[in-house]
Amino acid sequence: MSDQRRHRILMVSDFFYPNFGGVESHIYCLSQCLLKLGHKVVAMTHAYGNRSGVRYMTGGLKVYYVPWKPFLMQNTLPTFYGTLPIVRTILIREKITLVHGHQAFSTLCHEALMHARTMGYKMLVRLYAFHILPALNRPSTNEIIIVVVSRLVYRKGADLLVEVIPEVCRMFANVRFIIGGDGPKRVRLEEMREKHGLQDRVEMLGAVPHAHVRSVLISGHIFLNSSLTEAFCIAILEAASCGLLTVSTRVGGVPEVLPDDMVVLAEPDPGDMVQAIKKAITILPTIDPQEMHNRMKKLYDWHDVARRTVIVYDYALRSSDQNLLGRLSRYLSCGSWAGKLFCLVMIIDFLLWYFLKLWQPDENIEVVPDFKLTCNQDQGPMHDINVEKP
């Protein structure tokens, strides 16, 4: 691929391997496909335990685990300007042309995007597919199993589950729940189970390794997503690919993810969700898991997602640049007080960046060479690899 068409992308998020989830899988799989298309991809996240510094993953994916520790729910402490020096260094060292931020709740993502914008880089916030095989045989319909696989946090609607599950169990004697995931709201779910005596009907699996998600999904008939906010929700794609009918809250981009006959949508309200589950149970006999899987294979594919993402990258790089004064006028329109605050934050960021340029000029930051891969392309994401200079 010619240098003119080759993108050099920095993926930024607080959420990445060895942590597991939809965001982590999205960044990794998208990066692998972009690498195969000939683009350079570098990831940036915070340190996870003793995993700090620079690591190389399958496909030559280079990851900067910057020495920041998570503060709350795998997010780093907001510093506004503390990440500026290291973000600037990575952008220059890797000759990055575009910054791609992931997860609206990631502190590191927002700070990196702010600094990149100050430095004149093009940026965008994430877009989203996968491949999971369906069960060869659907579980017995004598008992209807509803599966939940999610982080048990407020944003994922764990509090809604506390109200929905007892009511569904009261209405349907043959319904059982399997809940996979962990988080601060797990205690509330366990208290609900004890209060209503549902120990034999609500199974709590705790954190589920990503490699075992398929085995959890294929044990059920209905997948329940109770998110209060969601950009995409890759979990419902995985569930549909395993042949499960999805019941989901109507939030964010979720209504656009699956065809209408594969999902039953509800408002993020306990009563409406119970009615949606009731509707899903009535139409469950019409669902063919294998047919659903075959349809999903045609709807979503990581390589297609990567090609579409490159189109967005091309568009972003063609977009016009806007100087600081032009951006400040836009921030002022955000509100009488908020606009002034945003302007102050960006002015300080610009001044700090200018000071860093004087203190350590760009030409004094060593540019790292690109590397040639010398490993098996088929190994998993957690496999560190050897590389050599071209």
Side-chain angles (χ1 to χ4, degrees), residues 178-221:
I178 296 177
I179 301 176
D182 206 350
K185 294 293 183 178
R186 179 175 178 174
V187 175
R188 284 210 65 196
L189 287 165
E190 291 176 340
E191 290 174 346
M192 172 273 296
R193 187 173 62 168
E194 296 291 329
K195 177 181 177 181
H196 296 277
L198 298 174
Q199 292 88 342
D200 59 334
R201 298 183 64 184
V202 180
E203 183 179 358
M204 304 285 294
L205 301 180
V208 180
H210 196 261
H212 299 161
V213 169
R214 174 188 174 273
S215 62
V216 175
L217 291 174
I218 64 175
S219 66
H221 304 85

Coordinates of all heavy atoms in Angstrom, one line a residue, residues 178-221:
I178 N -29.8 -16.9 33.7 CA -28.3 -17.1 33.9 C -27.7 -15.8 33.7 O -27.8 -15.2 32.7 CB -27.8 -18.2 32.9 CG1 -28.4 -19.5 33.1 CG2 -26.2 -18.2 33.0 CD1 -27.9 -20.6 32.1
I179 N -27.0 -15.3 34.7 CA -26.3 -14.0 34.7 C -24.8 -14.2 34.7 O -24.3 -14.7 35.7 CB -26.8 -13.1 35.9 CG1 -28.3 -13.0 35.8 CG2 -26.1 -11.8 35.8 CD1 -28.9 -12.2 36.9
G180 N -24.2 -13.8 33.7 CA -22.7 -13.8 33.6 C -22.2 -12.4 33.7 O -22.6 -11.5 32.9
G181 N -21.2 -12.1 34.5 CA -20.6 -10.8 34.6 C -20.4 -10.4 36.1 O -20.9 -11.1 37.0
D182 N -19.6 -9.4 36.3 CA -19.3 -8.9 37.6 C -19.3 -7.4 37.6 O -19.2 -6.8 36.6 CB -17.9 -9.5 38.0 CG -17.8 -9.6 39.5 OD1 -18.7 -9.1 40.3 OD2 -16.8 -10.2 40.0
G183 N -19.3 -6.9 38.8 CA -19.3 -5.4 39.0 C -19.9 -5.0 40.3 O -20.4 -5.9 41.1
P184 N -20.0 -3.7 40.6 CA -20.5 -3.2 41.9 C -21.9 -3.5 42.1 O -22.4 -3.6 43.3 CB -20.2 -1.7 41.8 CG -20.0 -1.4 40.4 CD -19.4 -2.6 39.8
K185 N -22.7 -3.8 41.1 CA -24.2 -4.0 41.2 C -24.5 -5.5 41.5 O -25.6 -5.9 41.6 CB -24.9 -3.5 40.0 CG -24.9 -2.0 39.8 CD -25.7 -1.3 40.9 CE -25.7 0.2 40.7 NZ -26.5 0.9 41.8
R186 N -23.5 -6.3 41.5 CA -23.7 -7.8 41.7 C -24.3 -8.0 43.1 O -25.2 -8.9 43.2 CB -22.4 -8.5 41.6 CG -22.5 -10.0 41.8 CD -21.3 -10.8 41.6 NE -21.4 -12.2 41.9 CZ -20.5 -13.1 41.7 NH1 -19.3 -12.8 41.2 NH2 -20.7 -14.4 42.0
V187 N -23.9 -7.2 44.1 CA -24.5 -7.4 45.4 C -26.0 -7.2 45.4 O -26.7 -8.0 46.0 CB -23.8 -6.4 46.4 CG1 -24.5 -6.5 47.8 CG2 -22.3 -6.7 46.5
R188 N -26.5 -6.2 44.7 CA -27.9 -5.9 44.6 C -28.7 -7.1 44.0 O -29.8 -7.5 44.4 CB -28.2 -4.7 43.8 CG -27.9 -3.4 44.5 CD -28.9 -2.3 44.0 NE -30.3 -2.6 44.3 CZ -31.3 -2.0 43.8 NH1 -31.1 -1.1 42.8 NH2 -32.6 -2.3 44.1
L189 N -28.1 -7.7 43.0 CA -28.7 -8.9 42.3 C -28.8 -10.1 43.2 O -29.7 -10.8 43.3 CB -28.0 -9.2 41.0 CG -28.2 -8.2 39.9 CD1 -27.2 -8.5 38.8 CD2 -29.6 -8.4 39.3
E190 N -27.7 -10.3 44.0 CA -27.7 -11.4 44.9 C -28.7 -11.1 46.1 O -29.3 -12.1 46.5 CB -26.2 -11.5 45.5 CG -25.3 -12.1 44.4 CD -23.8 -12.2 45.0 OE1 -23.5 -11.5 46.0 OE2 -23.0 -12.9 44.4
E191 N -28.8 -9.9 46.5 CA -29.8 -9.6 47.5 C -31.2 -9.8 47.0 O -32.1 -10.3 47.7 CB -29.6 -8.1 48.0 CG -28.4 -7.8 48.8 CD -28.2 -6.4 49.1 OE1 -28.9 -5.5 48.4 OE2 -27.4 -6.0 49.9
M192 N -31.5 -9.5 45.7 CA -32.8 -9.7 45.1 C -33.1 -11.2 45.1 O -34.2 -11.7 45.4 CB -32.8 -9.1 43.7 CG -34.0 -9.5 42.9 SD -33.8 -11.1 42.0 CE -32.5 -10.7 40.9
R193 N -32.1 -12.0 44.7 CA -32.2 -13.4 44.7 C -32.6 -14.0 46.0 O -33.5 -14.9 46.1 CB -31.0 -14.1 44.1 CG -31.1 -15.6 43.8 CD -29.8 -16.1 43.1 NE -28.6 -16.0 43.9 CZ -27.5 -16.6 43.7 NH1 -27.4 -17.3 42.6 NH2 -26.4 -16.4 44.4
E194 N -31.9 -13.5 47.1 CA -32.2 -14.0 48.4 C -33.6 -13.6 48.9 O -34.3 -14.4 49.5 CB -31.1 -13.5 49.4 CG -29.7 -14.0 49.1 CD -29.6 -15.5 49.4 OE1 -30.3 -15.9 50.4 OE2 -28.8 -16.1 48.8
K195 N -33.9 -12.3 48.6 CA -35.2 -11.7 49.1 C -36.4 -12.5 48.5 O -37.4 -12.8 49.2 CB -35.3 -10.3 48.7 CG -36.6 -9.6 49.1 CD -36.6 -8.1 48.7 CE -37.9 -7.5 49.0 NZ -37.9 -6.1 48.5
H196 N -36.3 -12.9 47.3 CA -37.5 -13.5 46.6 C -37.3 -15.0 46.5 O -38.2 -15.7 45.9 CB -37.6 -12.9 45.2 CG -38.0 -11.5 45.1 ND1 -39.2 -11.0 45.3 CD2 -37.2 -10.4 45.0 CE1 -39.2 -9.7 45.2 NE2 -38.0 -9.3 45.0
G197 N -36.3 -15.6 47.1 CA -36.1 -17.0 47.1 C -35.9 -17.6 45.8 O -36.5 -18.7 45.4
L198 N -35.1 -17.0 44.9 CA -34.9 -17.4 43.6 C -33.5 -18.1 43.3 O -33.0 -18.0 42.2 CB -35.1 -16.2 42.6 CG -36.4 -15.5 42.6 CD1 -36.4 -14.3 41.8 CD2 -37.5 -16.5 42.1
Q199 N -33.0 -18.6 44.4 CA -31.6 -19.2 44.2 C -31.6 -20.3 43.2 O -30.6 -20.5 42.5 CB -31.2 -19.8 45.6 CG -30.9 -18.8 46.6 CD -32.1 -18.4 47.5 OE1 -33.3 -18.7 47.0 NE2 -31.9 -17.8 48.6
D200 N -32.7 -21.1 43.0 CA -32.7 -22.1 42.0 C -33.1 -21.7 40.7 O -33.1 -22.5 39.7 CB -33.6 -23.3 42.5 CG -35.1 -22.8 42.7 OD1 -35.3 -21.6 43.0 OD2 -36.0 -23.6 42.6
R201 N -33.5 -20.4 40.5 CA -34.0 -19.9 39.2 C -33.1 -18.8 38.7 O -33.3 -18.4 37.5 CB -35.4 -19.4 39.3 CG -36.4 -20.6 39.7 CD -37.8 -20.1 39.8 NE -38.3 -19.7 38.5 CZ -39.5 -19.2 38.3 NH1 -40.3 -19.0 39.3 NH2 -39.9 -18.8 37.0
V202 N -32.2 -18.3 39.5 CA -31.3 -17.2 39.0 C -29.8 -17.7 39.3 O -29.4 -17.7 40.5 CB -31.6 -15.9 39.7 CG1 -30.6 -14.8 39.2 CG2 -33.0 -15.4 39.4
E203 N -29.1 -18.0 38.3 CA -27.7 -18.5 38.5 C -26.8 -17.4 38.2 O -26.8 -16.8 37.1 CB -27.5 -19.7 37.5 CG -26.1 -20.3 37.6 CD -25.9 -21.4 36.7 OE1 -26.8 -21.8 35.9 OE2 -24.8 -22.0 36.7
M204 N -25.9 -17.1 39.2 CA -24.9 -16.0 39.1 C -23.5 -16.7 38.8 O -23.0 -17.4 39.6 CB -24.8 -15.2 40.4 CG -26.1 -14.6 40.8 SD -26.6 -13.2 39.8 CE -25.4 -12.0 40.3
L205 N -23.0 -16.4 37.6 CA -21.8 -17.0 37.1 C -20.5 -16.2 37.5 O -19.4 -16.8 37.5 CB -21.8 -17.2 35.6 CG -22.9 -18.1 35.0 CD1 -22.7 -18.2 33.5 CD2 -22.9 -19.5 35.6
G206 N -20.7 -14.9 37.8 CA -19.6 -14.1 38.0 C -18.9 -13.7 36.7 O -19.5 -13.9 35.6
A207 N -17.7 -13.2 36.7 CA -17.0 -12.9 35.5 C -16.8 -14.1 34.6 O -16.4 -15.1 35.0 CB -15.6 -12.2 35.9
V208 N -17.1 -13.9 33.3 CA -17.0 -15.0 32.3 C -15.9 -14.7 31.4 O -15.9 -13.6 30.7 CB -18.3 -15.2 31.6 CG1 -18.2 -16.3 30.5 CG2 -19.5 -15.4 32.5
P209 N -14.8 -15.5 31.3 CA -13.8 -15.3 30.3 C -14.4 -15.2 28.9 O -15.4 -16.0 28.6 CB -12.9 -16.5 30.4 CG -13.1 -17.0 31.8 CD -14.6 -16.7 32.1
H210 N -13.8 -14.4 28.0 CA -14.4 -14.2 26.7 C -14.5 -15.5 25.9 O -15.4 -15.7 25.1 CB -13.6 -13.2 25.9 CG -14.4 -12.6 24.7 ND1 -14.1 -13.1 23.4 CD2 -15.4 -11.7 24.6 CE1 -14.9 -12.5 22.6 NE2 -15.7 -11.6 23.3
A211 N -13.5 -16.4 26.1 CA -13.5 -17.7 25.4 C -14.7 -18.5 25.8 O -15.0 -19.5 25.1 CB -12.2 -18.4 25.7
H212 N -15.3 -18.3 27.0 CA -16.4 -19.1 27.5 C -17.7 -18.5 27.2 O -18.8 -19.1 27.6 CB -16.2 -19.4 29.0 CG -14.9 -20.1 29.3 ND1 -14.4 -20.2 30.5 CD2 -14.1 -20.9 28.5 CE1 -13.3 -20.9 30.5 NE2 -13.1 -21.3 29.3
V213 N -17.8 -17.3 26.6 CA -19.1 -16.6 26.4 C -20.0 -17.4 25.5 O -21.2 -17.6 25.8 CB -18.8 -15.2 25.8 CG1 -20.2 -14.6 25.4 CG2 -18.2 -14.3 26.8
R214 N -19.5 -18.0 24.5 CA -20.3 -18.8 23.6 C -21.0 -20.0 24.3 O -22.2 -20.2 24.2 CB -19.5 -19.4 22.5 CG -20.3 -20.4 21.6 CD -19.4 -21.1 20.6 NE -20.2 -22.1 19.8 CZ -20.4 -23.4 20.2 NH1 -19.9 -23.7 21.4 NH2 -21.1 -24.2 19.5
S215 N -20.3 -20.7 25.2 CA -20.9 -21.8 25.9 C -22.0 -21.3 26.9 O -23.0 -22.0 27.1 CB -19.8 -22.5 26.7 OG -19.3 -21.7 27.7
V216 N -21.9 -20.1 27.4 CA -23.0 -19.5 28.2 C -24.2 -19.1 27.3 O -25.3 -19.5 27.6 CB -22.5 -18.3 29.0 CG1 -23.6 -17.6 29.7 CG2 -21.4 -18.6 29.9
L217 N -23.9 -18.5 26.2 CA -25.0 -18.1 25.3 C -25.8 -19.2 24.8 O -27.1 -19.2 24.7 CB -24.4 -17.2 24.1 CG -23.9 -15.9 24.5 CD1 -23.2 -15.2 23.3 CD2 -24.9 -14.9 25.1
I218 N -25.2 -20.3 24.3 CA -25.9 -21.4 23.7 C -26.7 -22.2 24.7 O -27.4 -23.1 24.3 CB -24.9 -22.3 22.9 CG1 -23.9 -23.0 23.8 CG2 -24.2 -21.5 21.8 CD1 -23.1 -24.0 23.1
S219 N -26.5 -21.9 25.9 CA -27.3 -22.6 26.9 C -28.7 -22.0 27.1 O -29.5 -22.5 27.9 CB -26.6 -22.7 28.3 OG -26.5 -21.3 28.8
G220 N -28.9 -20.9 26.4 CA -30.2 -20.1 26.6 C -31.0 -20.0 25.4 O -30.7 -20.4 24.3
H221 N -32.2 -19.4 25.6 CA -33.1 -19.2 24.5 C -33.3 -17.7 24.2 O -33.5 -17.3 23.0 CB -34.5 -19.7 24.8 CG -34.6 -21.1 25.2 ND1 -34.3 -21.6 26.5 CD2 -34.8 -22.2 24.4 CE1 -34.4 -22.9 26.5 NE2 -34.7 -23.3 25.3

